[in-house]
């Protein structure tokens, strides 16, 4: 089951979300996620978090918000991609911050379901995310969902993907 959590609901289970984050990324810091990352990000414009439950336990999450110039990630990416791409894509975009699924339930469609629900109903015409630059399940998932590779390596081992939500997937 996929559910949408508002800021207060997400913060109420921040530690549980942090445990999923830490397990999914193996080196993730559950405490930092719960006490720093999530509270900071949940205060941003249009924050949206979706959570996946299976057999009564939290197994995945995805979240993002509207990104603006002047924020750390947006500015870092803008500096890496150059002025033309930055002008077209950065600012007012929906910024996908995290997609995390517990390792024991990966490759069961949970990530796909989370991303579809995360993107549903957004007002942002474009969305951005960074993921691994090499060939792993995450970049393949995003491409299957219609995301396009904008920059293969931003200089720190991450690739930039964009989704123009005004263009139907597959066109």
């Amino acid at each position: 089951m996929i559910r949408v959590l508002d800021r207060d609901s997400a913060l109420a289970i921040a530690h549980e979300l942090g445990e999923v984050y830490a397990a999914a990324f193996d080196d993730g810091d559950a405490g930092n996620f719960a006490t720093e990352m999530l509270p900071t990000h949940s205060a941003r414009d249009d924050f949206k978090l979706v959570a996946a439950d299976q057999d009564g336990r939290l197994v995945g999450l995805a979240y993002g918000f509207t990104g603006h110039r002047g924020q750390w990630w947006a500015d870092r990416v803008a500096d890496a991609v150059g002025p033309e791409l930055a002008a077209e894509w950065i600012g007012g975009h929906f910024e996908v911050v995290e997609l995390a699924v517990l390792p024991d339930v990966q490759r069961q469609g949970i990530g796909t379901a989370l991303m579809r629900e995360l993107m549903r109903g957004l007002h942002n015409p474009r969305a951005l995310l960074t993921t691994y630059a090499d060939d792993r399940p995450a970049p393949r998932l995003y491409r299957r969902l219609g995301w396009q590779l904008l920059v293969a390596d931003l200089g720190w081992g991450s690739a930039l993907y964009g989704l123009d939500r005004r263009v139907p997937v597959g066109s």
Side-chain angles (χ1 to χ4, degrees):
M1 176 181 89
I2 305 295
R3 57 190 164 120
V4 179
L5 304 178
D6 63 15
R7 181 180 198 273
D8 291 340
S9 299
L11 292 176
I13 62 166
H15 289 287
E16 190 177 357
L17 293 165
E19 292 298 324
V20 170
Y21 169 81
F25 291 106
D26 194 29
D27 63 351
D29 182 342
N32 183 60
F33 180 88
T35 62
E36 299 293 326
M37 280 179 55
L38 189 61
T40 298
H41 291 156
S42 67
R44 301 256 169 98
D45 294 342
D46 307 312
F47 171 80
K48 182 177 182 181
L49 185 141
V50 294
D53 298 294
Q54 188 178 74
D55 300 325
R57 77 176 174 138
L58 180 68
V59 297
L61 67 102
Y63 80 89
F65 50 79
T66 296
H68 301 288
R69 297 300 290 268
Q71 294 171 339
W72 179 83
W73 185 88
D75 287 349
R76 184 173 187 206
V77 170
D79 289 344
V81 302
E84 289 178 19
L85 190 63
E88 181 180 355
W89 283 89
I90 299 174
H93 61 280
F94 187 78
E95 189 170 306
V96 176
V97 179
E98 297 295 348
L99 169 62
V101 177
L102 290 176
D104 66 313
V105 296
Q106 289 177 2
R107 295 191 174 97
Q108 296 179 18
I110 295 168
T112 297
L114 285 165
M115 285 302 294
R116 285 188 173 141
E117 187 59 36
L118 182 64
M119 302 310 294
R120 187 182 328 277
L122 299 177
H123 66 83
N124 315 74
R126 291 194 171 101
L128 289 170
L129 61 82
T130 51
T131 189
Y132 305 106
D134 56 356
D135 187 37
R136 298 186 196 196
R140 290 192 298 265
L141 166 68
Y142 300 129
R143 288 191 301 269
R144 278 194 312 273
L145 292 174
W147 292 76
Q148 63 180 316
L149 178 63
L150 298 176
V151 178
D153 190 339
L154 291 165
W156 57 85
S158 293
L160 178 67
Y161 282 79
L163 182 67
D164 189 337
R165 301 184 66 246
R166 301 165 300 180
V167 177
V169 173
S171 60

